[in-house]
């Protein structure tokens, strides 16, 4: 009987994991489809001062490596600094990350409608 109960608990855990992963995947696909063009325009506008120096403009819609992340790791806030004014930007706000050529990526803030170029 104990083995049967453990088996049922395992099935419940697998069901919850599958539902969560399907929900997250569908949500990410919907956000990327809805905001990709707007993010590409914001990234191009944000990169325009750097583009003449490089000589070429980056095509942000070319690559299919767009994904949604929660929080931006480049914001210098620790998780225990709850009263910090940038805590939401670091840990709560959604960002659409677009990849470009030569290790250049763009973080598009879905809440503030702003973009920031990140060079790695």
């Amino acid at each position: 009987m104990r083995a049967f109960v453990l088996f049922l608990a395992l099935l419940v855990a697998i069901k919850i994991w599958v539902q969560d992963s399907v929900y997250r995947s569908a949500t990410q696909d919907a956000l990327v489809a809805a905001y990709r063009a707007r993010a590409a325009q914001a990234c191009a506008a944000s990169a325009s001062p750097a583009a003449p120096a490089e000589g070429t403009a980056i095509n942000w819609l070319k690559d299919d490596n767009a994904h949604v992340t929660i929080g931006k790791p480049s914001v210098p806030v620790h998780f225990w600094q709850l009263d910090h004014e940038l805590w939401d930007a670091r840990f709560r706000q959604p960002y659409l990350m677009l990849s470009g050529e030569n290790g250049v990526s763009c973080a598009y803030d879905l809440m503030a409608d702003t973009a920031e170029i990140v060079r790695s």
Side-chain angles (χ1 to χ4, degrees):
M1 185 67 172
R2 186 180 297 173
F4 181 69
V5 171
L6 289 174
F7 177 70
L8 286 178
L10 179 66
L11 287 179
V12 168
I14 290 173
K15 177 185 182 276
I16 291 171
W17 176 76
V18 167
Q19 283 181 332
D20 184 59
S21 62
V22 167
Y23 171 77
R24 287 178 187 265
S25 175
T27 303
Q28 176 166 314
D29 292 344
L31 286 172
V32 168
Y35 287 100
R36 186 179 182 114
R38 186 181 301 171
Q41 290 175 350
C43 290
S46 178
S48 63
E54 296 174 3
T56 59
I58 298 172
N59 184 4
W60 295 106
L61 292 174
K62 177 182 172 188
D63 194 27
D64 287 335
N65 196 13
H67 62 279
V68 176
T69 61
I70 303 298
K72 187 169 25 170
S74 64
V75 177
V77 177
H78 299 289
F79 68 91
W80 58 81
Q81 295 175 322
L82 298 175
D83 294 333
H84 198 282
E85 62 187 18
L86 295 177
W87 194 89
D88 285 342
R90 171 64 174 97
F91 294 105
R92 291 186 70 184
Q93 290 181 350
Y95 291 90
L96 179 60
M97 302 298 289
L98 299 176
S99 298
E101 298 93 15
N102 301 330
V104 177
S105 61
C106 179
Y108 175 72
D109 187 352
L110 295 174
M111 304 288 283
D113 195 27
T114 60
E116 179 183 347
I117 304 300
V118 179
R119 300 186 194 282
S120 53

